[in-house]
């Protein structure tokens, strides 16, 4: 006897709806740029950028978990994939904070003009 095939249509539509909702929120915030989020700084970066980073990480998590089928794998395999990605994301945020602030300070205090 073979295994009965289970339909994951409901789960796929739920994940699709969640990813669509997060994307719609990101697009809305990108277009509107609420003043309260855009002008509030947290760790040398405005709060709106932090929200974008967090929402992007949430989307990446659900894409890996649902569409790469990591929920059914063993814990060691999951961590071998997720661990390096968490480290990479933290490293990229660190580079964004340090280098972005440096570039801003250079243009702010020099005679060079903002051309971009």
């Amino acid at each position: 006897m073979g295994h009965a095939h289970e339909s994951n249509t409901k789960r796929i539509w739920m994940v699709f709806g969640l990813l669509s909702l997060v994307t719609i929120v990101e697009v809305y915030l990108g277009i509107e740029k609420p003043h309260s989020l855009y002008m509030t700084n947290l760790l040398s970066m405005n709060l709106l950028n932090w929200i974008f980073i967090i929402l992007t990480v949430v989307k990446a998590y659900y894409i890996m978990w649902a569409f790469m089928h990591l929920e059914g794998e063993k814990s060691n395999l999951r961590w071998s994939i997720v661990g390096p990605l968490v480290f990479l994301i933290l490293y990229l945020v660190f580079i964004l904070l340090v280098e972005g602030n440096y570039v801003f300070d250079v243009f702010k205090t020099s005679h060079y003009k903002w051309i971009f």
Side-chain angles (χ1 to χ4, degrees):
M1 290 272 167
H3 295 287
H5 177 69
E6 292 182 27
S7 176
N8 288 328
T9 306
K10 181 179 177 184
R11 185 177 144 273
I12 290 171
W13 280 109
M14 246 175 75
V15 172
F16 174 74
L18 179 68
L19 292 174
S20 297
L21 181 68
V22 171
T23 302
I24 289 169
V25 168
E26 282 181 332
V27 169
Y28 173 76
L29 289 175
I31 292 172
E32 289 297 317
K33 288 187 184 176
H35 188 72
S36 60
L37 297 176
Y38 187 65
M39 292 304 190
T40 303
N41 284 336
L42 177 67
L43 297 175
S44 300
M45 196 165 59
N46 64 37
L47 198 55
L48 188 59
N49 286 346
W50 282 110
I51 291 173
F52 285 141
I53 290 170
I54 291 168
L55 290 177
T56 302
V57 168
V58 167
K59 284 193 329 186
Y61 169 79
Y62 275 104
I63 288 169
M64 286 189 326
W65 194 255
F67 295 120
M68 292 176 64
H69 307 289
L70 286 182
E71 77 270 43
E73 298 296 337
K74 292 185 179 183
S75 178
N76 291 337
L77 179 63
R78 276 187 276 180
W79 277 108
S80 70
I81 294 171
V82 173
L85 291 175
V86 167
F87 173 76
L88 179 65
I89 289 169
L90 291 174
Y91 178 70
L92 291 175
V93 168
F94 171 76
I95 293 296
L96 178 72
L97 289 173
V98 171
E99 295 299 324
N101 198 25
Y102 171 76
V103 169
F104 177 75
D105 288 341
V106 166
F107 279 107
K108 183 179 175 184
T109 60
S110 72
H111 64 280
Y112 294 112
K113 301 277 187 220
W114 287 96
I115 59 171
F116 48 88

